[in-house]
Amino acid sequence: MNIVVIGPGALGLLFAGRLAAGGQAVTLLDHNQQRAASLKNCIHLHDGSGTSSIPLSISADPASLNAAKLILVCVKSHQVQNALATILPYIQPTTVVIGLQNGIAHVPLFQAQTGLFALGVTAMGATLLEPGHVRHGGNGPTFIGFTNATHGHTLADVAEIFSSCQLPAEVENDILSRLWRKLLINCGINGLSVIYDCPNGMLLTIPEARERLILLVSEAIAVAKAMGIEVGDDPLAQTLEVCQATAANISSMLQDVRARRATEIHAINGAVCKLAITKNIATPENDLLVQEVLAVEKPRIQ
Ligand code: PAF
């Protein structure tokens, strides 16, 4: 299949690399012409078994979108609006576009589109080592689902392609529920790991951090429920479990801060706070965390 992956961050490199290695015709689209040229049509996947260098097309020319049957939008949440503006003039009515972002701030942008726009949630672990180099951490499932009516179109073939390329994937009918379940975990862990400047697991051992984590997730659950989102049996227990299971991980948000990149705090806790206002729900712990993370992030951004 002709696939364009937008964004050479950790997730973009991992998906582009695995799909290209699995025999798909992949172009990695980077808005930065100089960086696209410097990558020399090759990306490098590092994992437990070593490093594989995978040849594929890397371009800064949006005309490569012309032939795409599938477009994966792998930019950060705050870059989605620009990415969609780039895509729209090129796509055909049968082109499937899937957004793979953390948080929920991008959801309305995808829902506002007519056409085959879908969202994804992935548990694949990826860390950007340097431009063109990604470390593949844990393997986890990717769920993909349309957000609007699609008149009989299905994502089953996309899930099959992903799965055949070592990206285990399933079609999900309630993708919003999946997004929120991940959001609740990120709400509890990511911002706090920045404030305490620690790996995920340490949040459970610092009494104040653990208490705050519980408050953050509880507030976000209240908002999800008010929105009619299905959050599963015990999302708080799940967050504590993930925190334990990823004890040694440096969260993606702390990685962003350390690399002097903008964080996704607006797309995660910030988005919950915004929705809470529309439902008259108080979210003081999330409000505070957003301010604290911005105070750490702002002076460091390049
Ligand atoms: O964003 C992240 O870092 C991850 O989603 C998680 C689960 C918090 C583990 O580090």
Side-chain angles (χ1 to χ4, degrees):
M1 188 185 266
N2 236 315
I3 302 173
V4 174
V5 177
I6 303 184
L11 211 56
L13 290 179
L14 179 63
F15 272 74
R18 283 265 190 267
L19 289 166
Q24 303 299 318
V26 180
T27 299
L28 179 64
L29 189 62
D30 184 354
H31 73 276
N32 181 330
Q33 202 160 2
Q34 226 180 345
R35 183 173 51 197
S38 74
L39 297 181
K40 298 195 186 331
N41 293 323
C42 188
I43 62 182
H44 310 274
L45 286 190
H46 305 257
D47 59 24
S49 59
T51 300
S52 34
S53 297
I54 302 161
L56 79 176
S57 160
I58 303 180
S59 170
D61 181 1
S64 54
L65 290 161
N66 267 324
K69 292 272 176 281
L70 170 66
I71 299 171
L72 296 184
V73 182
C74 293
V75 299
K76 294 269 187 183
S77 179
H78 63 272
Q79 297 160 329
V80 165
Q81 197 153 14
N82 282 345
L84 290 182
T86 304
I87 292 168
L88 288 176
Y90 294 93
I91 61 169
Q92 315 296 323
T94 53
T95 312
V96 172
V97 182
I98 304 180
L100 277 169
Q101 279 70 40
N102 277 329
I104 48 164
H106 62 294
V107 172
L109 297 173
F110 278 79
Q111 284 174 326
Q113 308 302 326
T114 51
L116 301 179
F117 283 74
L119 293 169
V121 184
T122 188
M124 293 296 279
T127 307
L128 185 66
L129 300 175
E130 58 179 285
H133 290 253
V134 62
R135 186 172 58 230
H136 176 211
N139 240 345
T142 298
F143 295 96
I144 49 177
F146 284 119
T147 52
N148 299 328
T150 56
H151 313 292
H153 285 274
T154 155
L155 290 169
D157 53 343
V158 176
E160 213 169 288
I161 288 173
F162 282 6
S163 298
S164 72
C165 296
Q166 296 182 55
L167 297 162
E170 282 174 42
V171 176
E172 168 63 65
N173 291 329
D174 189 355
I175 194 69
L176 287 184
S177 165
R178 287 282 173 195
L179 276 165
W180 270 85
R181 288 176 198 210
K182 182 166 184 201
L183 173 77
L184 293 173
I185 293 168
N186 292 143
C187 262
I189 299 175
N190 293 32
L192 278 186
S193 73
V194 170
I195 301 314
Y196 292 92
D197 193 17
C198 68
N200 297 348
M202 264 181 75
L203 297 174
L204 300 175
T205 65
I206 305 168
E208 183 195 67
R210 189 187 168 97
E211 211 171 290
R212 291 190 67 184
L213 184 153
I214 291 169
L215 288 173
L216 287 164
V217 179
S218 304
E219 288 178 4
I221 292 171
V223 177
K225 288 193 171 158
M227 302 287 300
I229 302 288
E230 169 56 57
V231 291
D233 280 348
D234 193 346
L236 178 55
Q238 235 225 312
T239 307
L240 296 169
E241 267 167 38
V242 171
C243 206
Q244 188 60 58
T246 61
N249 278 25
I250 299 299
S251 80
S252 53
M253 196 172 287
L254 183 51
Q255 285 181 43
D256 284 339
V257 165
R258 287 183 177 174
R260 298 183 173 270
R261 293 187 294 259
T263 72
E264 296 184 304
I265 193 73
H266 288 301
I268 299 176
N269 306 78
V272 169
C273 298
K274 263 194 182 170
L275 286 172
I277 293 169
T278 69
K279 297 288 174 193
N280 276 323
I281 294 174
T283 52
E285 199 61 42
N286 280 277
D287 295 338
L288 174 65
L289 186 73
V290 172
Q291 294 317 316
E292 287 176 325
V293 171
L294 290 177
V296 174
E297 167 188 338
K298 279 206 169 133
R300 301 173 68 110
I301 289 184
Q302 285 163 338

